[in-house]
Amino acid sequence: MTGQVIGHYRVLEKIGSGAMGEVFRARDERLGRDVALKLIRPASSDNPDHLRRFELEARAAAALNHPNIVAIYDVGFDDGSPYIVCELLEGQTLRKRLAEGALPVRLAADYSLQITQGLIAAHDHRIIHRDLKPENLFVTTDGRVKILDFGVAKLQSAPGESERSVEDLTTVTKSGAVVGTVAYMSPEQLRGKPVDHRSDIFSEGAILYEMLTGRRAFRGETEVDTITAVLREDPPEINLEQASVPISFQQIVQHCLE
């Protein structure tokens, strides 16, 4: 891909990949700036569900303008394959940071507040992220948290809209696969039930728990065990106590995960 021109973006290097697409550093030849260019995988371009989700990512994120949400600059198609252009971020994902262990309480609080502010902006636009996890949170070199990947976000029906079916409001794709990462998904998501903003709050609670303790809130030996833990168990409070997490923070985590 290096050197190829897509739209008016010249590909410089590959910087990442995900379930549906690959991300490249590219040069916007009109404005003379480097951007992140996300291309859908060729194997997925014929999958209507993947195309729908890819386009939904662009629509959802482009509707938002907030310092804690990655900015979308452009969207288009190249030989039938869609692409999204967004701001190029320097730093690391929260997952990579968590690989070093728990965060200091003050830093975890700062990150959580930034995530919350980004989610408020999304929820005010009736957009639910639905796949919030450390891999989809990016910490820039200057300490700003950016929410990434609205690929499985869902635009909620506006008040009074009733033409959507129940199937349209669940987290189940047309192939029947549940979208997202089970360790951070809310119980209603795992059951394939309709979701609202509270699902994102649950996910943020699980992330805050992990930032404070260095351990996942819900963990099992298998995916099924993890799902069972989310549905039926509370995360071990002992981990919060051992990490000397203030009682008020423990209560916030518990409230998110109610």
Side-chain angles (χ1 to χ4, degrees):
M1 290 295 298
T2 302
Q4 290 192 32
V5 177
I6 296 175
H8 54 274
Y9 306 98
R10 183 174 297 278
V11 176
L12 301 178
E13 62 177 334
K14 182 177 178 178
I15 57 177
S17 60
M20 292 186 297
E22 296 178 316
V23 185
F24 300 87
R25 178 190 293 266
R27 185 71 173 174
D28 184 336
E29 298 191 327
R30 287 183 182 173
L31 297 179
R33 64 178 176 184
D34 285 359
V35 297
L37 176 70
K38 183 174 182 179
L39 300 176
I40 201 163
R41 291 184 184 280
S44 300
S45 60
D46 294 329
N47 186 321
D49 187 50
H50 281 189
L51 285 173
R52 179 184 62 82
R53 286 166 54 194
F54 194 88
E55 290 177 320
L56 187 57
E57 175 180 349
R59 287 177 51 210
L64 305 172
N65 180 18
H66 192 274
N68 296 118
I69 298 175
V70 65
I72 300 295
Y73 295 148
D74 193 12
V75 62
F77 287 85
D78 181 69
D79 290 332
S81 296
Y83 63 84
I84 294 175
V85 181
C86 61
E87 63 177 316
L88 183 66
L89 302 175
E90 302 291 344
Q92 64 182 353
T93 64
L94 181 60
R95 168 60 66 213
K96 189 172 182 179
R97 171 61 183 83
L98 286 173
E100 303 171 12
L103 277 58
V105 171
R106 187 180 296 273
L107 187 59
D110 176 41
Y111 287 177
S112 293
L113 183 59
Q114 292 190 58
I115 296 167
T116 299
Q117 290 169 338
L119 288 178
I120 288 172
H123 295 167
D124 281 348
H125 283 78
R126 307 190 65 79
I127 296 170
I128 308 167
H129 191 283
R130 303 199 324 165
D131 195 24
L132 209 60
K133 55 189 177 183
E135 290 82 355
N136 282 339
L137 296 168
F138 195 93
V139 183
T140 66
T141 51
D142 61 352
R144 186 178 297 279
V145 178
K146 297 272 190 175
I147 303 175
L148 311 177
D149 193 5
F150 278 81
V152 294
K154 190 69 177 181
L155 288 167
Q156 287 183 277
S157 298
E161 289 186 1
S162 59
E163 69 274 9
R164 288 175 140 177
S165 66
V166 172
E167 288 74 16
D168 290 334
L169 299 173
T170 69
T171 60
V172 180
T173 67
K174 289 182 173 63
S175 64
V178 177
V179 183
T181 302
V182 295
Y184 304 94
M185 292 173 68
S186 64
E188 60 269 27
Q189 279 182 289
L190 293 175
R191 292 188 172 110
K193 293 184 176 181
V195 301
D196 59 23
H197 63 281
R198 291 170 294 184
S199 188
D200 284 345
I201 294 173
F202 182 94
S203 300
E204 185 178 0
I207 293 168
L208 176 55
Y209 180 98
E210 190 167 344
M211 285 195 289
L212 291 168
T213 67
R215 304 180 183 184
R216 282 190 178 178
F218 303 100
R219 178 183 290 278
E221 292 185 9
T222 67
E223 189 173 78
V224 173
D225 291 335
T226 302
I227 291 173
T228 301
V230 173
L231 295 177
R232 306 193 182 281
E233 300 172 13
D234 291 325
E237 293 182 16
I238 188 66
N239 291 337
L240 292 168
E241 295 169 0
Q242 289 177 343
S244 300
V245 176
I247 294 296
S248 58
F249 280 73
Q250 295 184 39
Q251 292 172 339
I252 290 171
V253 171
Q254 291 161 1
H255 190 41
C256 288
L257 296 176
E258 283 179 348

